[in-house]
Amino acid sequence: MNTTHQINPSEASASVSFGPGQGDLTRLDIRTPWSRAEVYLHGAHVTHFQKHDEPPLLFLSEASRFEARQPIRGGVPVIFPWFGPRQELPTHGFARLSEWVLDTVALASDGACQLAFRLPRLQEWATGRPYAVEYLVTVGRELRLDLKVVNESPRDPFEFEGCLHTYFTVGDIAALRVTGLEGTRYLDSLAAGAEKQESAASIAIGAEVDRLYVGTEAEVQILDPSLKRRIRVAKAGSRSTVVWNPWIAKSKRMPDFGDEEYQRMLCVESGNVGPDRIELAPGASHTLSVTLSSEPL
Ligand code: BG6
């Protein structure tokens, strides 16, 4: 059943409707004066954000699964409490596989629509530590994402990795440049995690890339001449930036990703992973905030 909630009926400025999305998973459709967005309760996964006068900002694979036990391929998977593979446990943690709770829907002072999600406590993938995770998705001119983790233990520290694994739509992967990472260090997953220095003034992608840039807090930009668009990834509470594109061979190996789709996407992921992982003192909290915006290039 679809239900629509008009947030500000007098001006009809924003609305949120609830209904079945792909695979019958529950989806929220958000409209604001500037943009549209879609968010699934499965993973609190933002699968779509588009300003009215631009192509979609987020890439979503046409081959994505929409199943309760599978991650969605594209949009913004929420990675928590670990990044990457972990023995018998799901790669990139369980947050992206969990059904989140929508706590509130509100209108921000500037007219943007704010949705507050909470990760329920799950026995099956419990870490043995008491913690709470809140995720605020703000849809307006920009897409703002705030992931807050609270260590509820009065005695023990809580260590975790977190990442907003954002897939961007690009016009032509071979034509774009990424700026904001020059002079930084990265761990190259394609070279067994070897530490390297980013020497390029702007990064071009011409092959598979899977890099964890450490200690990176500056804004990253994707300059996309093909779509004539500049994407800005501004962040706070994040020291890691992962840049990933599977290129040709890996795309073919991935069952939930089209063979040619690597040409139209790039992941620039903001978080705290590997050596930048967070250790929270008892009672402490940490918020990872990412603001995604775009403008003509
Ligand atoms: C990236 C990793 O963040 O996610 C890559 O750096 C990985 O190594 C990619 O391949 C996709 O992971 P998954 O689990 O969504 O297929």
Side-chain angles (χ1 to χ4, degrees):
M1 193 181 78
N2 278 297
T3 48
T4 301
H5 179 58
Q6 206 74 45
I7 296 176
N8 186 347
S10 56
E11 295 172 25
S13 58
S15 69
V16 179
S17 63
F18 245 112
Q22 296 196 57
D24 260 353
L25 299 175
T26 305
R27 189 177 74 194
L28 295 137
D29 292 338
I30 301 118
R31 289 169 186 264
T32 76
W34 311 278
S35 58
R36 291 190 58 178
E38 294 176 0
V39 189
Y40 282 78
L41 291 184
H42 178 60
H45 200 124
V46 182
T47 52
H48 180 66
F49 175 78
Q50 182 170 18
K51 293 204 295 193
H52 295 321
D53 53 355
E54 277 189 22
L57 187 74
L58 303 176
F59 165 86
L60 178 63
S61 172
E62 287 174 11
S64 178
R65 297 163 169 141
F66 286 87
E67 297 167 25
R69 287 292 182 165
Q70 298 291 340
I72 294 170
R73 176 71 67 196
V76 189
V78 177
I79 308 302
F80 173 86
W82 59 83
F83 181 90
R86 181 160 295 196
Q87 289 139 12
E88 308 286 289
L89 296 168
T91 300
H92 285 335
F94 53 80
R96 66 176 180 168
L97 301 175
S98 303
E99 187 83 356
W100 290 57
V101 175
L102 175 65
D103 271 339
T104 57
V105 177
L107 199 64
S109 55
D110 64 353
C113 181
Q114 285 190 323
L115 300 103
F117 297 90
R118 177 168 41 87
L119 184 64
R121 287 156 207 271
L122 296 173
Q123 290 308 316
E124 50 188 328
W125 290 314
T127 61
R129 300 283 190 207
Y131 60 86
V133 185
E134 295 159 23
Y135 187 41
L136 191 62
V137 175
T138 306
V139 180
R141 258 188 208 90
E142 308 168 332
L143 177 65
R144 181 178 162 129
L145 306 167
D146 298 278
L147 184 71
K148 181 179 178 188
V149 179
V150 184
N151 179 5
E152 295 184 326
S153 169
R155 284 178 312 277
D156 301 314
F158 175 54
E159 194 179 87
F160 68 95
E161 295 172 292
C163 188
L164 298 172
H165 188 312
T166 311
Y167 289 71
F168 292 101
T169 299
V170 300
D172 176 8
I173 187 73
L176 62 76
R177 292 287 184 278
V178 179
T179 64
L181 296 167
E182 46 277 15
T184 61
R185 284 186 306 123
Y186 66 90
L187 308 179
D188 189 348
S189 300
L190 303 178
E195 185 175 319
K196 299 182 180 174
Q197 181 89 16
E198 184 54 73
S199 54
S202 67
I203 301 164
I205 314 286
E208 182 179 355
V209 58
D210 192 351
R211 299 175 182 173
L212 163 55
Y213 289 86
V214 295
T216 50
E217 295 174 283
E219 176 178 290
V220 175
Q221 295 187 9
I222 302 171
L223 311 179
D224 182 352
S226 187
L227 291 182
K228 300 185 175 56
R229 177 161 74 177
R230 178 195 309 270
I231 296 173
R232 294 178 185 273
V233 183
K235 56 189 194 156
S238 160
R239 288 181 52 76
S240 306
T241 308
V242 176
V243 177
W244 179 63
N245 180 288
W247 212 251
I248 299 167
K250 187 161 181 173
S251 294
K252 290 187 176 153
R253 291 199 301 272
M254 288 162 53
D256 57 346
F257 190 79
D259 288 359
E260 308 294 330
E261 287 185 322
Y262 73 94
Q263 297 172 15
R264 296 189 290 110
M265 59 70 70
L266 179 68
C267 283
V268 174
E269 312 164 27
S270 304
N272 297 287
V273 307
D276 294 324
R277 69 169 61 82
I278 301 284
E279 183 173 309
L280 280 181
S285 69
H286 175 270
T287 302
L288 159 64
S289 299
V290 180
T291 302
L292 307 177
S293 60
S294 55
E295 63 200 38
L297 182 62

